[in-house]
Amino acid sequence: MILAIILLILIILTVSILLLFLFYILFPSIHGQNKISEDPVIADSEIEYIKPIIEQTEVSDMKALVLCSCNKSFEKERDIFNEGYSCTLVKEYSGTGCDCKYACIGLGDCTKICPQQAIIIKNRTAVITELCIGCGKCIDVCPLHIIRLVPKDTKEYTLCANKSDEKSSCSEESKTQKVLWNAKKHFKIWETCYKIFERIIKS
């Protein structure tokens, strides 16, 4: 008889503990997870995912062009500037470092602002690559104002901004040249990857 009473008490305790576990631990945790996945503000409990804000740059029919040839050379050796400086700072205090006041300084103010990373520095001169979409952000940042937007089907252009009477020893002064938006090494592969990544983000 005593054994039966003890067994009954154990069963009641076990059931009580099980019920406490279900109602105070298991069910509240499940209910909490449901609250996380539901948004009471959204109608019909639809979930809205907040997409990261990505800077959208509209593609145009234009491309940037630097009016200074990267193939240029000068009779006198050009000044060497500290790479930590900016083109704006150097232009204000030292000019261009050569006998042409329109020569690209080449410290890359334009490369830093380009959202497409479409500008490289070659022979201390900014060069536009195939990645350019004609956003024009590089134009305003150039202290020499030697970057222009031209139609992307432009074949030839005078890559020189020197319109003054001051003569320069620049080997490429006022020469009309074929326009080639030089592709940085492996840029086509990276461009393809970038476009795929952009589609995934937008979808």
Side-chain angles (χ1 to χ4, degrees), residues 56-126:
Q56 298 295 325
T57 308
E58 190 176 339
V59 179
S60 74
D61 293 329
M62 310 289 278
K63 276 187 179 285
L65 188 68
V66 179
L67 301 184
C68 189
S69 173
C70 65
N71 299 315
K72 66 183 179 299
S73 60
F74 295 92
E75 291 177 3
K76 294 181 180 180
E77 190 174 343
R78 296 183 66 182
D79 294 340
I80 297 174
F81 300 121
N82 187 322
E83 291 184 2
Y85 294 163
S86 68
C87 298
T88 304
L89 179 66
V90 167
K91 196 259 180 184
E92 185 175 349
Y93 291 101
S94 303
T96 61
C98 64
D99 61 1
C100 176
K101 65 180 182 181
Y102 297 98
C104 178
I105 297 169
L107 290 175
D109 289 16
C110 52
T111 65
K112 293 165 189 166
I113 202 169
C114 178
Q116 298 297 117
Q117 298 182 353
I119 307 174
I120 60 173
I121 302 297
K122 184 178 177 183
N123 187 27
R124 296 173 63 183
T125 306

Side-chain angles (χ1 to χ4, degrees), residues 177-195:
Q177 302 179 26
K178 288 184 178 179
V179 176
L180 296 172
W181 280 280
N182 297 312
K184 197 173 180 180
K185 191 177 181 182
H186 306 311
F187 257 18
K188 288 187 177 180
I189 297 171
W190 288 117
E191 184 179 15
T192 305
C193 293
Y194 176 80
K195 286 178 179 176

